[in-house]
């Protein structure tokens, strides 16, 4: 039970810190930050694949949460690349 309270507190602190950090970033820097978050989401995908691939000894909850993490991180990576591609197309010369 103590580990759960510690992990829940850490999660709440991470959410608060993330919201505070993102609200302080000017809009012109959001797209470069999204490109950086693609790398972090890629690491999340690798970790989630490892969690899901551990087999039956991990249990259903770990496999379900790992699958959900894979889905959400993949959505984040694809969306980030789409926004980055759109931003880069804005700087191309028309001709």
């Amino acid at each position: 039970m103590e580990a759960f309270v510690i992990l829940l507190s850490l999660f709440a602190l991470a959410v608060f810190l993330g919201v505070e950090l993102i609200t302080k970033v000017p809009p012109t820097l959001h797209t470069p930050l999204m490109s950086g978050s693609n790398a972090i989401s890629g690491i999340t995908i690798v970790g989630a694949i490892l969690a899901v691939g551990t087999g039956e000894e991990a249990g259903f909850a770990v496999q379900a949460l790992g699958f959900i993490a894979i889905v959400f991180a993949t959505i984040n990576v694809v969306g980030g690349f789409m926004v980055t591609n759109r931003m880069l197309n804005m700087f191309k010369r028309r001709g």
Side-chain angles (χ1 to χ4, degrees):
M1 184 65 178
E2 288 181 25
F4 176 73
V5 172
I6 291 171
L7 290 174
L8 186 63
S9 301
L10 183 63
F11 178 74
L13 182 63
V15 168
F16 175 74
L17 183 63
V19 168
E20 286 297 314
L21 181 68
I22 293 299
T23 57
K24 304 289 189 251
V25 173
T28 55
L29 293 178
H30 275 265
T31 302
L33 283 176
M34 186 173 289
S35 297
S37 75
N38 284 337
I40 295 170
S41 290
I43 295 169
T44 304
I45 291 173
V46 171
I49 289 172
L50 289 174
V52 170
T54 56
E56 290 296 322
E57 65 270 5
F60 177 74
V62 171
Q63 290 182 340
L65 289 174
F67 177 74
I68 292 169
I70 290 171
V71 170
F72 285 143
T74 302
I75 290 170
N76 191 23
V77 167
V78 171
F81 280 123
M82 289 174 61
V83 168
T84 302
N85 187 36
R86 184 174 177 184
M87 180 195 72
L88 291 174
N89 285 336
M90 290 172 36
F91 293 105
K92 287 184 179 177
R93 292 185 186 199
R94 294 191 168 95

